[in-house]
């Protein structure tokens, strides 16, 4: 019999599965799970563990069979999806099938030697693995780390040996989870009851709630497309915002106010300051009145005029912070400012008085970088990865792939808008939940109408295949500048697509803030 194709995504594994009642990480959960999903090809092979003076205790024995040869013993195990190992005694041809991998610490002494074997492709936490699906098929929310199964960083290990997602449920207006990620549907009188059901379910990453029918739907995946919510407005969608990876800040950052990390640098021009901060895994200090100013003042970082991460370089008069948010009403300008003196003041500074002033971006000013915990290393790091209109060839690609190439500067005159469009695809190496994207553009002209997508498809970014992180109307992406853009709600996918009109750039750097959901290659929190 040819084994079925491997199942590599949690949502796909659960697509046709009924609600599971057992606690993830337990033998009972695995038995329920394996009754409804297809095993990967590797799970039809056994790994020899050698001879041992220990054997299976009674509570791990799934079945026994006497008078069989050792290959037949292993075949018996492979014929049962709930069998994870064998113990075979050659002296009397006794075969024991095990519900767990035969491993030191869970065996008991034996008077005679036993030959042990373990099933490949299925592993609990702390057990050997070769790929993430070995772990995630048995324990959702786990991955293969240094050859052993472990919980992903955004998941907490449970007493039963499962992995439970962390984080809070936040609104996701205008979108909904994919139908094939539905775990179950149940009655709920209030939205709070539906939220509590999700928080108590180790597989739940999103919910839909209808007050009209008092119905709650739990989903094993977040927002993966942009098809939109129920047009009637009956259903509300909440998605679990997972905690982002942290990691240590760069060595020259200091902690101030108990929660913020800063470093001060010598005077440069504005665009250079934004790029320098991005290279350290941070953004130019935005200057909002959120408690950070007092901490900076106490550390004598505001004893001279400094650049702020606040500019209207995209659209005149529409100031945007370095974290992609629009200017709020709490910002206090110096009298008569901003005045865009002589039409050339698109950036801003913080004076020692605590008031703001708009200045030219070519002015040199000291600056303060604000570390952003959770920025994950870019898969595009240090490589030109822009793809563009129809003259692409694989020979031009830096990695031999037509989707990641750096073409020549486009001509100023083209026949259609489609020919002006550029498309960047970055493989994050695994499925991630993304909450923000840090972009550092290279040399080139500004853009209009830029959209950031997350998709499970390398080729597609249409509404049925990709979720919109953020739409950037106007000329938000600027020549040689860095800015952080927060997604309108957490989105999920492996491939980041950046599609923009009328942009001429030679390269870009991309990093994401988010949490890994599967995959063997984790993006590490570090500088870009």
């Amino acid at each position: 019999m040819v084994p079925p194709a491997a199942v590599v995504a949690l949502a796909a594994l659960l697509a046709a599965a009924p609600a599971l009642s057992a606690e993830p990480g337990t033998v009972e959960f695995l038995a329920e799970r394996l009754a409804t999903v297809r095993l990967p090809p590797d799970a039809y092979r056994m790994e020899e563990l050698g001879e041992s003076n220990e054997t299976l205790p009674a509570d791990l024995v799934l079945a026994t069979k006497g008078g069989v040869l050792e290959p037949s013993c292993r075949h018996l195990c492979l014929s049962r999806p709930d069998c994870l190992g064998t113990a075979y005694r050659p002296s009397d041809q006794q075969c024991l099938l095990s519900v767990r991998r035969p491993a030191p610490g869970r065996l008991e002494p034996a008077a005679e030697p036993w030959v042990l074997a373990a099933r490949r492709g299925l592993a609990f936490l702390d057990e050997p693995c070769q790929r993430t699906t070995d772990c995630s098929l048995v324990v959702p929310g786990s991955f293969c780390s240094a050859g052993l199964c472990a919980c992903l960083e955004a998941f907490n290990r449970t007493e039963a040996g499962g992995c439970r997602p962390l984080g809070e449920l936040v609104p996701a207006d205008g979108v909904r989870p994919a139908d094939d990620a539905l775990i179950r549907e149940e009655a709920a009188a209030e939205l709070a009851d539906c939220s509590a059901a999700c928080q108590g379910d180790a597989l739940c990453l999103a919910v839909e709630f209808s007050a009209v029918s008092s119905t709650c739907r739990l989903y094993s995946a977040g927002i993966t497309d942009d098809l939109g919510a129920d047009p009637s407005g009956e259903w509300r969608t909440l998605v679990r915002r997972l905690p982002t990876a942290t990691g240590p800040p760069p060595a020259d950052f200091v902690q101030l106010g108990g929660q913020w990390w800063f470093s001060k640098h010598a005077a440069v021009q504005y665009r250079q300051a934004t790029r320098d901060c991005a290279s350290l895994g941070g953004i130019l200090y935005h200057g909002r009145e959120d408690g950070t100013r007092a901490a900076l003042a106490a550390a004598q970082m505001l004893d001279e005029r400094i650049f702020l991460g606040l500019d209207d370089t995209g659209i005149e008069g529409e100031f945007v912070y370095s974290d992609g948010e629009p200017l709020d009403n709490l910002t206090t300008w110096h009298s008569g400012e901003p005045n865009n003196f002589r039409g050339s003041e698109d950036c801003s500074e913080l004076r020692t008085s605590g008031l703001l002033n708009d200045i030219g971006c070519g002015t040199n000013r000291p600056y303060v970088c604000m570390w952003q915990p959770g920025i994950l290393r870019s898969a595009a790091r240090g490589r030109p990865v822009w793809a563009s209109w129809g003259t692409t060839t694989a020979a031009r690609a830096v990695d031999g792939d037509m989707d990641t190439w750096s073409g020549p500067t486009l001509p100023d005159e083209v026949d259609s808008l489609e020919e002006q469009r550029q498309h960047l695809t970055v493989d994050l190496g695994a499925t991630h939940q993304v909450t923000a994207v840090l972009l550092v553009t290279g040399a080139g002209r500004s853009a209009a109408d830029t959209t950031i997508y997350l998709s499970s498809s390398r080729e597609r970014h249409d509404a049925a295949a990709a979720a919109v992180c953020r739409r950037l109307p106007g000329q938000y992406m600027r020549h040689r500048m860095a800015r952080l853009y927060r997604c309108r709600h957490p989105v999920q996918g492996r491939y980041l697509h950046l599609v923009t009109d009328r942009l001429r750039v030679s390269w870009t750097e991309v990093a994401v803030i988010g949490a890994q959901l599967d995959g063997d290659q984790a993006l590490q929190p570090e500088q870009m």
Side-chain angles (χ1 to χ4, degrees), residues 48-129:
E48 293 188 14
L49 301 180
E51 192 174 274
S52 174
N53 290 323
E54 294 182 309
T55 189
L56 298 172
D59 61 342
L60 293 186
V61 175
L62 177 66
T64 63
K65 181 73 173 179
V68 298
L69 298 176
E70 184 182 351
S72 298
C73 179
R74 297 184 182 186
H75 185 270
L76 286 173
C77 182
L78 293 176
S79 68
R80 299 187 55 158
D82 53 351
C83 176
L84 297 188
T86 61
Y88 181 78
R89 187 167 58 195
S91 63
D92 59 357
Q93 298 183 323
Q94 181 75 7
C95 172
L96 305 181
L97 305 186
S98 176
V99 295
R100 294 292 297 269
R101 178 187 178 92
R106 61 172 62 125
L107 303 177
E108 62 183 19
E112 298 182 63
W114 290 75
V115 179
L116 306 178
R119 188 175 203 141
R120 294 179 180 269
L122 298 173
F124 285 87
L125 296 183
D126 301 325
E127 293 185 348
C129 56

Side-chain angles (χ1 to χ4, degrees), residues 115-428:
V115 179
L116 306 178
R119 188 175 203 141
R120 294 179 180 269
L122 298 173
F124 285 87
L125 296 183
D126 301 325
E127 293 185 348
C129 56
Q130 294 185 340
R131 57 188 61 83
T132 283
T133 49
D134 297 352
C135 311
S136 61
L137 184 60
V138 178
V139 183
S142 65
F143 76 125
C144 189
S145 174
L148 294 176
C149 292
C151 290
L152 290 161
E153 186 168 356
F155 292 71
N156 190 38
R157 182 167 180 157
T158 66
E159 292 184 1
C163 298
R164 185 179 298 276
L166 302 172
E168 60 179 348
L169 290 168
V170 297
D173 298 328
V175 292
R176 61 182 303 269
D179 290 333
D180 62 4
L182 180 66
I183 300 173
R184 67 178 182 273
E185 183 176 290
E186 60 185 48
E190 304 287 345
L191 178 61
D193 299 327
C194 187
S195 299
C198 182
Q199 294 287 11
D201 191 298
L203 303 179
C204 182
L205 292 179
V207 299
E208 280 187 308
F209 172 73
S210 168
V212 176
S213 60
S214 298
T215 302
C216 174
R217 296 172 180 167
L218 277 63
Y219 294 87
S220 63
I223 306 304
T224 58
D225 60 48
D226 206 52
L227 292 178
D230 174 25
S232 69
E234 174 185 343
W235 294 87
R236 292 191 60 187
T237 301
L238 300 178
V239 61
R240 190 191 296 266
R241 183 169 56 199
L242 300 171
T244 59
T246 54
D252 60 343
F253 276 65
V254 295
Q255 188 175 25
L256 302 174
Q259 56 181 318
W260 303 292
W261 293 84
F262 298 99
S263 62
K264 189 174 181 180
H265 304 269
V268 296
Q269 294 184 6
Y270 183 79
R271 287 182 171 86
Q272 182 66 50
T274 67
R275 298 198 306 273
D276 289 348
C277 289
S279 71
L280 296 173
I283 58 175
L284 191 60
Y285 171 56
H286 48 59
R288 282 203 291 270
E289 292 285 6
D290 56 3
T292 55
R293 283 203 197 173
L296 284 170
Q300 297 183 332
M301 290 191 181
L302 303 183
D303 55 357
E304 58 184 326
R305 296 185 180 191
I306 64 168
F307 269 133
L308 288 185
L310 177 66
D311 63 77
D312 64 347
T313 57
I315 300 175
E316 178 59 37
E318 295 187 13
F319 280 86
V320 179
Y321 289 112
S322 53
D323 63 359
E325 297 302 312
L327 179 68
D328 57 40
N329 295 325
L330 300 178
T331 300
T332 305
W333 294 89
H334 190 276
S335 178
E337 304 294 345
N339 62 2
N340 194 27
F341 183 65
R342 293 182 177 176
S344 61
E345 293 187 330
D346 293 330
C347 294
S348 63
E349 65 176 358
L350 179 64
R351 294 181 172 180
T352 56
S353 64
L355 300 177
L356 276 65
N357 172 49
D358 61 336
I359 60 173
C361 298
T363 308
N364 288 302
R365 285 284 186 272
Y367 62 100
V368 172
C369 294
M370 188 175 189
W371 182 56
Q372 295 292 293
I375 286 186
L376 301 172
R377 172 175 53 83
S378 171
R381 185 179 185 184
R383 298 192 298 124
V385 291
W386 279 101
S388 187
W389 58 310
T391 58
T392 311
T393 65
R396 287 179 175 166
V398 293
D399 56 0
D401 192 314
M402 289 181 62
D403 288 329
T404 56
W405 74 288
S406 178
T409 302
L410 298 181
D412 290 334
E413 299 294 333
V414 291
D415 295 333
S416 69
L417 179 63
E418 185 64 31
E419 289 179 331
Q420 298 180 46
R421 184 165 295 160
Q422 287 189 298
H423 177 195
L424 165 68
T425 300
V426 176
D427 183 357
L428 300 179

